[in-house]
Amino acid sequence: MESQVNWLTLTDLGRRFGLSAVSCGRMLSTAGMRDDDGMPSDVALDGGYAYRRPDQNANRSVLWHEERCTELLQSLGLHAIDEQQLVSQWADLLSALDEGSPSISASAEQMAEDMPKHLVAAVNARLQLLGCGFQVSPLKTAAQGSSGSRTAPR
C-alpha cells in the first residue's frame, strides 16, 4: 500500500525550516525548482516536487511535496526545526499574545489560525503547562483552510 503524500504551501514548507515563504521560495529557486516568476519550473513539476492546482489564484495554486522538498532543502544545508522546539515557540507566542500588549495588534486567536493543524494538541498541552487559559481550536487553524497539508493526485 502506497503512503499518502503530504503537499504543503510554501509557507508551511518554509516553517519546517524556520524560514519565511519568501526565503524558502528563494532556496527552491536556487535549486532550479521555481522560475523567474516564482512558479514551479518544469523540473519541479515533472519530478513531482510541485503540484499546481487548477482554478486557484496564483498565490494558493502551488503545493510542494513535503518529503521531496525537505530532502532537497536539507541537501542545500538547511536543517528542519525540531517539532518540540516549534511547539514551544508557538505556545510561548500564543501565551504572550493572550496576556496582551498595547504594542501588538494581533490576537492569540488570529495568530493561531496560522498554526499547522498537526501541532494543535501539543501546543494546547504546552499552554496548559504554562498556566495559560488560551486553547487553540483545531477547527480554526490554517491547515483546515488554504495553507495546510493537502493530498493531491500523484
Side-chain angles (χ1 to χ4, degrees):
M1 181 174 175
E2 288 186 53
S3 64
Q4 183 173 333
V5 175
N6 264 347
W7 294 92
L8 304 173
T9 64
L10 201 52
T11 299
D12 284 332
L13 180 60
R15 204 175 269 150
R16 293 181 179 276
F17 293 91
L19 299 174
S20 68
V22 171
S23 295
C24 185
R26 283 189 191 124
M27 295 296 291
L28 290 172
S29 294
T30 298
M33 296 292 129
R34 295 173 78 210
D35 64 22
D36 292 338
D37 295 324
M39 298 309 288
S41 66
D42 289 340
V43 170
L45 293 168
D46 294 343
Y49 288 86
Y51 169 73
R52 287 194 67 183
R53 294 183 290 179
D55 303 324
Q56 299 283 325
N57 70 43
N59 292 337
R60 300 190 186 271
S61 66
V62 177
L63 297 174
W64 297 91
H65 191 287
E66 178 181 21
E67 185 177 333
R68 288 183 180 140
C69 291
T70 294
E71 289 173 3
L72 175 68
L73 292 170
Q74 287 173 333
S75 76
L76 296 173
L78 296 179
H79 300 283
I81 293 177
D82 175 64
E83 194 157 295
Q84 274 307 111
Q85 180 182 359
L86 201 53
V87 166
S88 293
Q89 289 173 343
W90 270 106
D92 291 346
L93 171 67
L94 294 173
S95 178
L97 288 172
D98 189 52
E99 287 179 23
S101 169
S103 62
I104 300 174
S105 62
S107 70
E109 291 85 1
Q110 290 169 320
M111 196 59 79
E113 291 175 4
D114 291 330
M115 183 189 320
K117 183 182 176 189
H118 73 281
L119 297 178
V120 171
V123 169
N124 281 341
R126 175 89 177 151
L127 285 167
Q128 285 180 332
L129 283 174
L130 293 172
C132 178
F134 180 77
Q135 292 287 285
V136 179
S137 168
L139 300 177
K140 293 186 178 180
T141 62
Q144 290 277 334
S146 58
S147 66
S149 299
R150 300 279 190 260
T151 302
R154 284 176 247 173

